[in-house]
Amino acid sequence: MSADPTLTYLREVTALLERIHDEESEAILRAAERVAEQVRADRLVHIFGPGGHSNLAAQEVFFRAGGLMHVSAILDEGTLLSNGALRSMAIERTPGYGRVVIADAGLTPDDLLILVNAYGINAALIDAALEAKERGVTLIGVSSREHAERTDPGHPARHPTKANLHDLVDIAIDTKVPIGDAVITMAGVAEPLAAVSTFANAYALNALVLRTVQRLAESGVEPPVWRSGNAPGGDEANARFLDAFRSRVRKL
């Protein structure tokens, strides 16, 4: 009988998450302190994942059970897969698009923006970073350094500057996603199978939230955290804070 590919995949994902934990703890702690500063000042923490599946990363920590209420996701319609997968890919490769999205969000020097993209190279992502930098926004990047540095400068997804996200942000969290994202090979199948970037992004971001809340608790601040609306008392617990965020968080 052939080896169980699901067990191989489990081990690949587990090893990747352990690498992120072991090698990125310092970066996550530094990022958590910046996020904690925003929450202490009662300012929003913006997150944008320009790119088809990278949008999932922004959704992972927005309006999510156990997540910070101060997180505001920028969910731009252009790169959402729900509007067409090929359309999404074309938009994320369009120079200038990311600038429009950040300008529309109205970010200022008081803001913090987390940019998440598995590969760290696409045009919309880099333009979002450049626009945010010009506006004086604090930037945290979550992406794979290896994937960015090993992707050909002439790749059609790249921004005209050929820049990588990790070189533009104030704090970079490396998700270690390998070239191509998919990690399982199978006899008789030409292409690798089973991507890992969604796991990597979700772990890195939830680790950032955990460290942020830990820092806040250590300083005597208990931030508002979402409870699942499907859990007993969830609606009531969340209702205590809704008025404070409904007018500030665009997608709430």
Side-chain angles (χ1 to χ4, degrees), residues 117-150:
N117 186 274
Y119 313 143
I121 65 166
N122 77 42
L125 171 75
I126 299 304
D127 269 328
L130 293 172
E131 179 70 23
K133 282 175 67 71
E134 290 169 13
R135 290 170 170 265
V137 175
T138 298
L139 284 176
I140 296 171
V142 179
S143 63
S144 170
R145 179 180 291 267
E146 174 188 350
H147 210 302
E149 292 181 344
R150 291 184 58 192

Side-chain angles (χ1 to χ4, degrees), residues 48-59 74-82 84-85 87-94 97-98 101 115-126 128 157 197-198 201:
F48 183 32
H53 292 93
S54 293
N55 282 289
L56 297 175
Q59 295 176 59
I74 299 174
L75 301 176
D76 180 73
E77 296 295 321
T79 62
L80 291 179
L81 292 173
S82 55
R87 180 183 186 276
S88 166
M89 186 168 68
I91 293 294
E92 74 178 42
R93 293 180 174 188
T94 302
Y97 190 86
V101 174
L115 287 170
V116 190
N117 186 274
Y119 313 143
I121 65 166
N122 77 42
L125 171 75
I126 299 304
S197 58
T198 300
N201 289 340

Side-chain angles (χ1 to χ4, degrees), residues 16 19-20 118-119 143-148 174-182 196-198 200-201:
L16 175 63
R19 275 194 69 200
I20 295 170
Y119 313 143
S143 63
S144 170
R145 179 180 291 267
E146 174 188 350
H147 210 302
D174 183 1
T175 55
K176 323 291 183 181
V177 174
I179 279 282
D181 200 349
V196 295
S197 58
T198 300
N201 289 340

Side-chain angles (χ1 to χ4, degrees), residues 167-186:
D167 293 323
L168 298 176
V169 298
D170 298 294
I171 302 171
I173 298 172
D174 183 1
T175 55
K176 323 291 183 181
V177 174
I179 279 282
D181 200 349
V183 296
I184 301 300
T185 57
M186 188 177 296

